[in-house]
Amino acid sequence: MTLKLPRSKGFLDHYEELIGTWTRRLKNRQEAEDLTHDAFVRVLESDSTGVEQPRAYLHQTARNIAVDTWRREDRRTLLEIESTDSSAGHCGDPEAFMRAIQLADSIEMALAELPLNCRKVFIWQKLEGLTQLEIAERLGLSKNMVEKYMIRTLRHLRERLDASAP
């Protein structure tokens, strides 16, 4: 198969820049190269002849692929947690299941806005059931600091979820 270089030339100019951007964001060059490859495949397979800003289009395509991948991985984790939870009462209700997925997506996006320690504290306490003392020992922090991280996280989640409520 031969690539049509005139159509893709504007995109190829940004190949190294895209790898550099995503290497910094993902902190993993191999993942950045995979993401860049996927973005170029998607762009080359689409009808991108009318694209006026190839650089912005390419970066947005990569961002969309990264978000989709992240959501799939988080959703897979969520589904694994739900499948081990015998009290999942919405198994027969597709609307309840979709609301749960939408809520999980909203929580994911809100958590992604927080610092890493806030996310760790929330996940370890709410999903893994660790005590604040256990979390403090894991992170090398005081129990008081863990409590502050949890308060900050819960406040942020409440603000974001209230703002996105219908």
Side-chain angles (χ1 to χ4, degrees), residues 11-24 29 33 36 40 58:
F11 293 103
L12 291 175
D13 293 342
H14 306 290
Y15 181 79
E16 289 298 325
E17 175 188 347
L18 196 63
I19 289 176
T21 297
W22 285 98
T23 298
R24 284 188 302 280
R29 182 164 176 93
E33 289 173 352
T36 300
F40 271 88
L58 190 58

Side-chain angles (χ1 to χ4, degrees), residues 29-63:
R29 182 164 176 93
Q30 182 63 44
E31 287 180 16
E33 289 173 352
D34 289 346
L35 177 63
T36 300
H37 174 266
D38 292 346
F40 271 88
V41 167
R42 187 175 289 178
V43 165
L44 292 173
E45 288 178 346
S46 70
D47 180 23
S48 56
T49 53
V51 174
E52 293 180 19
Q53 297 179 352
R55 179 179 178 265
Y57 186 80
L58 190 58
H59 278 271
Q60 185 62 48
T61 300
R63 189 175 304 113

Side-chain angles (χ1 to χ4, degrees), residues 92-122:
D93 185 359
E95 289 181 20
F97 181 72
M98 287 309 297
R99 283 192 302 274
I101 293 295
Q102 289 171 344
L103 178 59
D105 285 345
S106 297
I107 291 171
E108 282 176 29
M109 289 187 292
L111 284 174
E113 298 169 350
L114 291 165
L116 181 60
N117 278 348
C118 288
R119 294 191 308 256
K120 284 180 180 180
V121 167
F122 179 82

Side-chain angles (χ1 to χ4, degrees), residues 69-79 108:
T69 302
W70 185 56
R71 283 185 175 163
R72 263 192 311 276
E73 289 173 2
D74 277 357
R75 188 166 288 123
R76 188 176 310 123
T77 302
L78 178 65
L79 292 174
E108 282 176 29

Side-chain angles (χ1 to χ4, degrees), residues 123-139:
I123 290 168
W124 287 344
Q125 186 170 348
K126 296 297 182 182
L127 297 180
E128 295 184 18
L130 297 178
T131 66
Q132 289 184 350
L133 185 58
E134 292 169 325
I135 295 168
E137 290 171 0
R138 275 191 183 186
L139 293 175

